[in-house]
Amino acid sequence: MAWDWQMFCEDTLERTQVQGCFGKNGDITYLDWMLSAWGWTISVSLLALLLALAAGIVIGTLRTLPDHPWVVRFGNAWVEFFRNIPLLVQIFLWYHVVPSLFPAMKSVSGFALVVLALGFFTSARIAEQVRSGIQALPRGQRYAGMAVGFTTWQTYRYVLLPNAFRIIIPPLTSETMNIFKNSSVAFAVSVTELTMFAMQAQEETGRGIEVYMAVTGLYVISAFAINRIMAFIEKRSRVPGMISASGAGGH
């Protein structure tokens, strides 16, 4: 069977060819639909990443605080809870269970609930990396901060966290790429991202090979862009002896 890439130029309602492949006057082509789905994928992923970084940094830092056993236990419980429940289950919990327990959440869109589920799920993994990065630093760095009169917050802010971040950039690159991949579960609550587009477009057109190759290409482009951005960040922040030369895959 010959490939037919012209199907992306077809109108999604009447299945007629649209000149230029982009719809006009309210018409939507499969190319329009796919690019819109890619935009939703990027939006879900980036917002979830911001949430995951914010929560992960806080929780990971709390797990290393000295002389605060209950704070450490809270951080450990957070990581164990969100890391050990499958992501798809968490999305269904946020979408079906949480609004039932908290009626105010019923007005929250499925998009926002997916961002929360994906962000908190990833935050547990980032928290573990932040904890490992801080604990990998020589103890002398903490003592040096205390010796110059820094408070605990200042020691973390100016001494420990900047160096820990340099160590964990490579695994953070992997988690950033994973969050784009994991965003595909958003189709389960009807968020029109790339995976939902692929399933529906394949059913409507019968051109599964073309559809999935195009969608795979967009995922590859996204992953490659993330890799290059993180490699640039790693290169600019590298301190000799603090991070491996291979890092996130760039020199």
Side-chain angles (χ1 to χ4, degrees):
M1 183 178 67
W3 291 353
D4 180 16
W5 295 101
Q6 288 298 315
M7 52 82 52
F8 286 103
C9 298
E10 293 179 359
D11 181 272
T12 57
L13 294 178
E14 300 179 359
R15 297 294 307 279
T16 57
Q17 288 288 324
V18 175
Q19 187 176 4
C21 292
F22 290 100
K24 300 176 182 178
N25 301 322
D27 295 332
I28 299 176
T29 65
Y30 284 99
L31 180 60
D32 293 325
W33 186 7
M34 183 176 68
L35 294 179
S36 174
W38 191 22
W40 281 107
T41 293
I42 293 173
S43 299
V44 168
S45 302
L46 290 181
L47 291 175
L49 177 61
L50 292 176
L51 176 60
L53 286 172
I57 291 170
V58 171
I59 296 299
T61 301
L62 293 179
R63 298 179 70 200
T64 64
L65 288 177
D67 305 322
H68 292 81
W70 286 105
V71 174
V72 174
R73 290 190 184 101
F74 169 77
N76 292 339
W78 178 286
V79 171
E80 293 301 319
F81 179 81
F82 286 107
R83 186 175 61 179
N84 292 325
I85 298 178
L87 176 57
L88 188 58
V89 174
Q90 292 194 38
I91 286 180
F92 277 110
L93 289 175
W94 278 97
Y95 194 75
H96 295 290
V97 178
V98 173
S100 298
L101 297 176
F102 304 96
M105 296 292 290
K106 292 182 179 180
S107 60
V108 178
S109 66
F111 173 85
L113 294 175
V114 168
V115 169
L116 291 173
L118 184 56
F120 286 141
F121 173 80
T122 309
S123 73
R125 304 172 66 89
I126 293 178
E128 183 66 17
Q129 293 166 5
V130 171
R131 180 194 64 82
S132 299
I134 293 174
Q135 292 183 343
L137 296 173
R139 290 186 178 181
Q141 293 197 13
R142 185 189 296 270
Y143 297 149
M146 297 169 59
V148 298
F150 282 171
T151 63
T152 299
W153 184 89
Q154 290 173 324
T155 301
Y156 276 90
R157 167 66 179 82
Y158 297 109
V159 181
L160 300 181
L161 287 176
N163 288 322
F165 288 150
R166 291 183 172 94
I167 294 175
I168 66 174
I169 286 178
L172 278 182
T173 300
S174 297
E175 288 304 325
T176 305
M177 296 171 71
N178 281 338
I179 211 168
F180 269 81
K181 177 194 69 176
N182 290 336
S183 68
S184 62
V185 300
F187 82 92
V189 291
S190 300
V191 176
T192 54
E193 45 70 59
L194 281 174
T195 300
M196 173 170 280
F197 160 78
M199 292 188 299
Q200 293 186 354
Q202 186 270 335
E203 290 182 1
E204 293 179 10
T205 65
R207 293 290 176 177
I209 295 177
E210 293 90 332
V211 169
Y212 279 100
M213 285 185 66
V215 168
T216 300
L218 293 181
Y219 275 117
V220 170
I221 291 172
S222 301
F224 182 76
I226 293 166
N227 182 277
R228 292 298 87 201
I229 291 171
M230 295 299 288
F232 174 78
I233 294 174
E234 177 190 347
K235 185 176 181 180
R236 293 297 299 269
S237 62
R238 182 180 299 156
V239 174
M242 293 298 297
I243 192 168
S244 64
S246 58
H251 295 278

